[in-house]
């Protein structure tokens, strides 16, 4: 016997509806405007029936190719094994950038003096669920970009400087946790999301649309 809609976890209903919207958009069943409008409503609504109705007129079929691509696009990158190493990044009168697919150690120390550091975790590969970032920023700036599906704990404090944390504090229990500690003095620390979950949904939908068009 099927569970009634209102008794199902709303996030499961939301995920199924968004999958249906992406699948039908990528196959040309609904327009780009209709897809983005319904996607916005699905993400914003807190009502089971409202979310369900957004895909009530669409075919709810998906395939293994869709599922495989979705897992590759949205799952946090984990590598087998455990990395106990610590990495130190020093910027004095200069700057550095770490981005792309790089392996995240258990601890990262960032020292910035009259310089800047840009650390991007968007496509990073995690080997441990808990990562500590220790910052000493004097007369400089440190930018930390994170995906929306990881946990952020900020314990850093500043003296005559600024800390701007616009990243989510809590994701899921399975997501890695970044704990940011340290001191910012006469400088700035910016913790931000590089791409929102909606932007990732839209990018994935367009990627699937291109892939299916090439196969047609």
């Amino acid at each position: 016997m099927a569970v009634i809609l209102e008794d199902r976890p709303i996030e499961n209903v939301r995920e199924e509806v968004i999958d249906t919207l992406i699948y039908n958009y990528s196959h040309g069943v609904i327009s780009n405007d209709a897809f983005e409008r319904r996607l916005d409503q699905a993400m914003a609504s807190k009502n089971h029936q409202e979310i369900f109705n957004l895909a009530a007129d669409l075919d709810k079929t998906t395939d293994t190719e869709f599922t495989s691509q979705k897992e590759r696009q949205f799952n946090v990158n984990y590598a087998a094994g455990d990395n106990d190493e610590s990495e130190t990044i020093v910027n004095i009168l200069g700057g550095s950038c770490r981005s792309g697919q790089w392996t995240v150690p258990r601890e990262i120390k960032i020292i910035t003096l009259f310089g800047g550091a840009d650390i991007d975790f968007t496509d990073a590969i995690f080997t441990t669920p808990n990562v500590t970032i220790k910052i000493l920023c004097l007369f400089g700036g440190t930018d930390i970009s994170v995906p929306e599906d990881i946990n952020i704990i900020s314990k850093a404090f500043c003296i005559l400087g600024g800390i701007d944390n616009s990243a989510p504090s809590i994701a899921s229990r399975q997501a890695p946790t970044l704990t940011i500690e340290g001191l910012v003095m006469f400088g700035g620390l910016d913790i931000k999301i590089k791409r929102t979950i909606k932007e990732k949904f839209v990018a994935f939908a367009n990627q699937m649309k291109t892939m299916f068009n090439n196969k047609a």
Side-chain angles (χ1 to χ4, degrees):
M1 183 177 177
V3 178
I4 62 173
L5 182 63
E6 289 74 14
D7 286 347
R8 296 186 58 202
I10 193 168
E11 290 306 321
N12 290 359
V13 178
R14 194 188 319 276
E15 181 179 4
E16 291 174 5
V17 167
I18 290 174
D19 283 352
T20 300
L21 294 175
I22 292 173
Y23 186 83
N24 282 270
Y25 165 69
S26 64
H27 283 75
V29 177
I30 57 176
S31 68
N32 180 73
D33 288 344
F35 166 66
E36 292 212 29
R37 183 183 69 251
R38 296 189 190 197
L39 177 61
D40 286 338
Q41 293 171 342
M43 294 178 66
S45 178
K46 297 181 180 179
N47 181 277
H48 287 71
Q49 192 64 53
E50 285 181 359
I51 297 171
F52 180 82
N53 289 344
L54 292 169
D57 59 337
L58 300 175
D59 184 358
K60 295 177 175 55
T61 302
T62 57
D63 53 31
T64 55
E65 181 72 22
F66 178 91
T67 302
S68 174
Q69 292 291 337
K70 178 187 173 186
E71 289 178 355
R72 188 177 298 112
Q73 182 84 7
F74 289 95
N75 286 357
V76 175
N77 294 326
Y78 271 112
D82 193 14
N83 186 354
D84 292 323
E85 295 182 0
S86 175
E87 180 176 349
T88 301
I89 300 172
V90 180
N91 299 288
I92 300 176
L93 297 174
S96 65
C97 178
R98 177 61 64 87
S99 62
Q101 287 194 334
W102 59 285
T103 302
V104 180
R106 182 181 295 276
E107 181 181 85
I108 303 173
K109 298 176 182 177
I110 304 173
I111 301 172
T112 304
L113 179 61
F114 293 101
D118 188 354
I119 312 298
D120 187 353
F121 290 92
T122 303
D123 298 312
I125 301 172
F126 290 85
T127 57
T128 176
N130 296 293
V131 176
T132 300
I133 303 175
K134 297 182 177 180
I135 292 175
L136 176 59
C137 181
L138 305 176
F139 298 95
T142 300
D143 293 335
I144 299 176
S145 300
V146 299
E148 203 169 31
D149 51 355
I150 69 172
N151 302 301
I152 300 294
I153 299 174
S154 178
K155 298 181 179 179
F157 64 96
C158 64
I159 300 174
L160 297 175
I163 297 176
D164 184 7
N165 182 7
S166 58
S169 299
I170 299 176
S172 68
R173 292 182 179 179
Q174 293 76 30
T177 297
L178 294 182
T179 301
I180 302 171
E181 306 173 347
L183 169 66
V184 177
M185 187 172 182
F186 295 103
L189 169 63
D190 189 8
I191 309 165
K192 59 188 177 182
I193 298 171
K194 187 172 183 179
R195 285 195 303 169
T196 65
I197 192 64
K198 181 194 172 179
E199 290 171 332
K200 292 181 72 174
F201 281 138
V202 172
F204 174 60
N206 287 325
Q207 173 190 327
M208 295 300 296
K209 187 177 182 67
T210 299
M211 185 181 71
F212 288 128
N213 286 343
N214 290 338
K215 288 184 177 181

